[in-house]
Amino acid sequence: METSMAIDNRPNADELWAGIGGHFDSLGQIVDEFIDNCISNFAGNNTMTRNIIISLVEIAINGDVRVAIEDSGTGIKKLNEAFTLGSCAAAESPLNEHGFGLKHALASANPGNDSWVIYTRTQEDIEAGQFKKIEAPYKIENYTAKLCQDEKWPGKLNGTGTIIQFTCKKEMYKTIARGIKGGMSNFKSIADVLCEDIGYIYAGVIEENKASITLDIVDVNGDHISRAVGAVKPDWEDYLKPGSGSEDVDLGEGKVTIEYQFGKINEKQQREAFDNTTARKYYKRNMSSSGVEIRINGRVLCNNLFKEIWGIEKHNSYNYLLVVVNLKSAEREVLPKTRTSKNGLREGDERLENLYHWIRSNMNIPVKDVSLADHETDLFEELCARMNQYNPDPNKVIKTEQYAFTSTGNLKDKVRIDLYCKTSYGVTIYEGKKEITTSKDVYQLRMYWDGLVYDGIKPDKGILIATEHPDSVKSLVSIVNSMFDANGDKYNFEMRTWQDEGIIIQK
């Protein structure tokens, strides 16, 4: 006989709060989650006024920061659903995908569950002369919102809307500037970075006037700065096939519009995240800001993609490349799934894999720009690949992993030759520099030669290669070419440039 017993699986509110916190890597990502809710409300209700104010106030006592995100939306109409974990019943656009964002962001911003408050008012609230206040601590049962009547609205904007306010530790505030070269701890400077981050994440939203975002900054001395956040955009040098355009594509669950730009970004560029401030982080033509950037309705979801799409590692030779794709649709089901914290897309999702396939169909594999290589090793790899591709000799041996002095019996004696080329015409060895050779490079080439002779291999030619050879090097090469090796043969050194080999290095 079977019987049943009840299981009480109601979570403890404090333990739940601690468990759902930590989904975000920085305060910037937390603020982005709240901005997403504002933009989603604008889009879902077709509001005419679309203002967002992000306030940062430095607290004198301990350096902590009071943060507030205020919008001019319609207010939260479904409080029950908005504060229920996993409920999407209050969703107003594809940005409300999971039903966890608001709660996760609050728990990450205020782990102590003791210093956050939300004010909201709908049109009905205004007509009733009231607004609603929901505050810490978060509860599972007996949770209430306060109806504040005949009280002054605590926000900067008139009309309907929502304010999310919390206090974060100064250590959390500093996570905004994590990764900035040289570090950063100044309150205002970190606020500048946040301004740039927001301008980058929401560039498409800002450009299409789907939201106007302002940063309101007050430091410990009471100095006040207000900044309108501008769109941080790439400075295109040129477009690459297929260029710039849009296409309707079915990613598996229905068509989405893909706006795309395939191109090269300028090496030195200045984009303004706000007045008179050069962007520090984005579109800098380096390994951390190149590759593929994916947006959904103008909002960045992931960037700097290489291996995920083409199976290749990031490299300086690809620093010129930027591919921006923006997926546009009001239907959540047709878009790739995002991670809960919206700091990426979910690998393995059919729609994302189909998007990757679409990108590859337009750019099978990126072409290296060896002029961006930061070391001659990369240039020799490119030269080796070209020689192997175009030399018809079936018995050729062309590689960058040939060693000299291997017959000494001591592994520490062997030295790697920059490039070794054995064909029916003989053995040619290379030593080189990306830019300018020195006398030391001549002796390095001679050491390769002598090492091969010691190993019983007869070299026929030595090539010294660089962008430029000074007169002192030319004179030394002439002297060495008048000398004899251990076999009694004259050294045979030549000087060439990378351009001679078809490799153009831009200065």
Side-chain angles (χ1 to χ4, degrees), residues 257-418:
T257 297
I258 301 180
E259 296 178 339
Y260 59 84
Q261 294 169 302
F262 288 68
K264 300 172 69 174
I265 50 178
N266 279 320
E267 181 176 5
K268 294 181 179 179
Q269 49 192 329
Q270 292 187 344
R271 298 155 308 281
E272 292 185 349
F274 40 84
D275 293 344
N276 303 317
T277 303
T278 302
R280 295 177 174 88
K281 296 170 62 174
Y282 302 104
Y283 305 130
K284 305 297 285 187
R285 196 165 179 163
N286 55 27
M287 285 178 63
S288 63
S289 63
S290 56
V292 176
E293 171 184 300
I294 299 175
R295 295 175 177 264
I296 291 181
N297 294 321
R299 198 261 202 225
V300 167
L301 266 300
C302 52
N303 63 357
N304 201 211
L305 303 180
F306 275 97
K307 193 170 185 178
E308 297 88 343
I309 297 172
W310 294 295
I312 59 177
E313 299 291 344
K314 301 168 190 174
H315 191 275
N316 288 331
S317 299
Y318 300 119
N319 285 354
Y320 72 93
L321 177 67
L322 182 65
V323 177
V324 178
V325 293
N326 180 32
L327 311 182
K328 300 185 75 171
S329 177
E331 304 298 325
R332 184 173 55 195
E333 294 75 14
V334 304
L335 296 165
K337 285 186 174 294
T338 65
R339 296 176 186 168
T340 306
S341 55
K342 295 196 186 74
N343 60 356
L345 295 168
R346 292 189 184 179
E347 294 295 330
D349 176 43
E350 178 189 12
R351 287 154 291 191
L352 180 60
E353 294 303 320
N354 288 336
L355 176 60
Y356 287 170
H357 175 76
W358 181 87
I359 295 171
R360 287 192 296 269
S361 71
N362 284 280
M363 180 175 281
N364 183 41
I365 191 165
V367 176
K368 283 187 176 182
D369 182 350
V370 292
S371 69
L372 299 176
D374 61 353
H375 195 271
E376 60 269 8
T377 300
D378 301 318
L379 300 174
F380 277 119
E381 290 290 349
E382 177 65 19
L383 182 56
C384 181
R386 294 186 182 203
M387 288 181 169
N388 275 303
Q389 181 179 0
Y390 297 114
N391 193 309
D393 188 345
N395 299 314
K396 65 181 178 292
V397 178
I398 303 174
K399 58 183 181 179
T400 58
E401 291 299 323
Q402 178 70 32
Y403 290 84
F405 292 110
T406 59
S407 59
T408 65
N410 186 347
L411 293 178
K412 293 182 179 180
D413 288 339
K414 70 177 186 177
V415 292
R416 188 178 69 81
I417 300 169
D418 281 351

Side-chain angles (χ1 to χ4, degrees), residues 20 51 71 90 158 242 461 487:
I20 65 175
N51 295 321
D71 68 54
N158 296 319
K461 186 182 294 185
N487 285 336

Side-chain angles (χ1 to χ4, degrees), residues 376 380 416-419 429-433 437 440-446 448 462-466 469 494 496 498:
E376 60 269 8
F380 277 119
R416 188 178 69 81
I417 300 169
D418 281 351
L419 181 61
I429 55 175
Y430 288 76
E431 160 66 13
K433 287 291 180 287
T437 52
K440 180 181 176 181
D441 301 316
V442 180
Y443 287 112
Q444 186 78 15
L445 182 60
R446 180 176 173 179
Y448 297 160
I463 305 294
L464 193 64
I465 189 169
H469 302 285
E494 293 182 5
R496 295 185 189 174
W498 294 111

Side-chain angles (χ1 to χ4, degrees), residues 12-146:
N12 176 277
D14 291 336
E15 294 175 354
L16 176 66
W17 192 260
I20 65 175
H23 282 260
F24 298 88
D25 297 326
S26 73
L27 179 62
Q29 290 181 357
I30 294 169
V31 171
D32 291 343
E33 178 62 45
F34 297 134
I35 294 175
D36 286 346
N37 289 339
C38 302
I39 295 170
S40 183
N41 180 266
F42 297 158
N45 295 279
N46 197 28
T47 59
M48 298 298 293
T49 304
R50 303 183 174 192
N51 295 321
I52 301 171
I53 298 177
I54 300 157
S55 300
L56 304 173
V57 179
E58 187 178 21
I59 299 173
I61 298 174
N62 50 19
D64 291 348
V65 179
R66 188 165 62 253
V67 183
I69 298 91
E70 180 180 1
D71 68 54
S72 60
T74 62
I76 303 175
K77 298 177 181 179
K78 298 180 179 180
L79 284 179
N80 292 342
E81 292 81 356
F83 286 90
T84 300
L85 278 172
S87 173
C88 293
E92 296 175 300
S93 86
L95 285 174
N96 303 130
E97 181 181 347
H98 306 287
F100 290 96
L102 173 65
K103 285 73 70 175
H104 280 178
L106 282 173
S108 298
N110 177 225
N113 196 16
D114 58 3
S115 69
W116 64 266
V117 59
I118 296 177
Y119 305 94
T120 188
R121 62 180 178 182
T122 63
Q123 184 59 40
E124 291 76 10
D125 289 324
I126 290 180
E127 293 170 0
Q130 66 185 25
F131 59 86
K132 302 181 185 77
K133 178 180 180 182
I134 307 95
E135 59 186 332
Y138 181 80
K139 297 178 182 178
I140 300 298
E141 295 181 299
N142 302 319
Y143 199 33
T144 59
K146 296 179 181 178

